[in-house]
Amino acid sequence: MLQCTAFAEVPEMGTLVVLTAMNAEPGPTPAPAVPGVPELPELDDMLLCELGEHDEKSEHAAQLWAGEMAASRDLWMFWTDTDTDTGMRRSFRFAELPPCPAVMRTLATDEREVCVLFDRHSAPHSWDVTDPLADLMAERMREEVERERRGGGGGGKGADEGGEEGDADEGGAGVTPSG
């Protein structure tokens, strides 16, 4: 299933209020740089819905912040767009939610992949959602690395012999056609 393509600008004031009011994780907390002022994380200005494609009645959702890698609760931002007489209206809400407990295990390799969404999210799990933009960006990065490796070692054939576009080996790393 493809990822939802909805995005939203992060409402700065609402986010700061929620982050300062969040319960801290148990354990030692580092002293803030300015006494009395909590350290706030740096946040993105825009968020992309992390759910798979869904109907317009369902809320969009994006993880705004996780306190630690093994945090028991993450901050999620939910939003909906409603068509009104005066135009589109966007509503936001924030929620601290535990992570989804689902884990997909591949028995042959004993690899495990955790769902990175929130607990009790609407199906499907994150491993069933594909992000074509991220896949395209990863492919372009791989092509650039291969081009640099071929062109940066000196001697031999040039990096762009087969043209600028496309991957000669259709995704296989380090394989070049002979001929």
Side-chain angles (χ1 to χ4, degrees):
M1 166 178 280
L2 293 177
Q3 183 174 350
C4 176
T5 58
F7 61 92
E9 188 173 350
V10 176
E12 190 174 326
M13 285 308 295
T15 304
L16 291 174
V17 168
V18 170
L19 283 170
T20 56
M22 282 180 69
N23 294 330
E25 291 292 320
T29 55
V34 178
V37 178
E39 263 319 295
L40 296 176
E42 218 172 283
L43 301 172
D44 292 331
D45 294 334
M46 302 293 281
L47 293 176
L48 178 65
C49 180
E50 296 181 38
L51 304 176
E53 292 177 312
H54 52 89
D55 63 18
E56 57 192 42
K57 293 178 182 170
S58 298
E59 287 182 299
H60 299 288
Q63 184 181 34
L64 192 57
W65 182 67
E68 299 174 4
M69 289 300 289
S72 60
R73 300 175 85 72
D74 302 324
L75 180 61
W76 285 81
M77 183 176 88
F78 296 88
W79 72 94
T80 55
D81 293 322
T82 309
D83 196 6
T84 65
D85 294 339
T86 58
M88 293 299 284
R89 179 187 158 129
R90 179 164 283 170
S91 302
F92 296 93
R93 74 178 179 91
F94 299 93
E96 275 186 273
L97 299 170
C100 178
V103 177
M104 179 175 66
R105 182 174 172 211
T106 306
L107 294 176
T109 60
D110 198 32
E111 291 180 20
R112 292 183 169 95
E113 186 172 353
V114 298
C115 179
V116 297
L117 300 174
F118 51 92
D119 194 19
R120 301 176 194 256
H121 60 85
S122 59
H125 292 292
S126 61
W127 56 73
D128 290 325
V129 177
T130 58
D131 180 359
L133 180 58
D135 294 344
L136 177 64
M137 289 172 56
E139 180 182 339
R140 294 288 165 98
M141 292 283 292
R142 184 178 59 248
E143 289 172 358
E144 184 65 27
V145 167
E146 287 179 4
R147 199 173 302 127
E148 294 228 353
R149 284 182 183 163
R150 289 189 303 253
K157 298 179 181 179
D160 295 322
E161 235 173 52
E164 278 293 314
E165 293 184 7
D167 190 21
D169 61 344
E170 295 295 323
V175 179
T176 56
S178 59

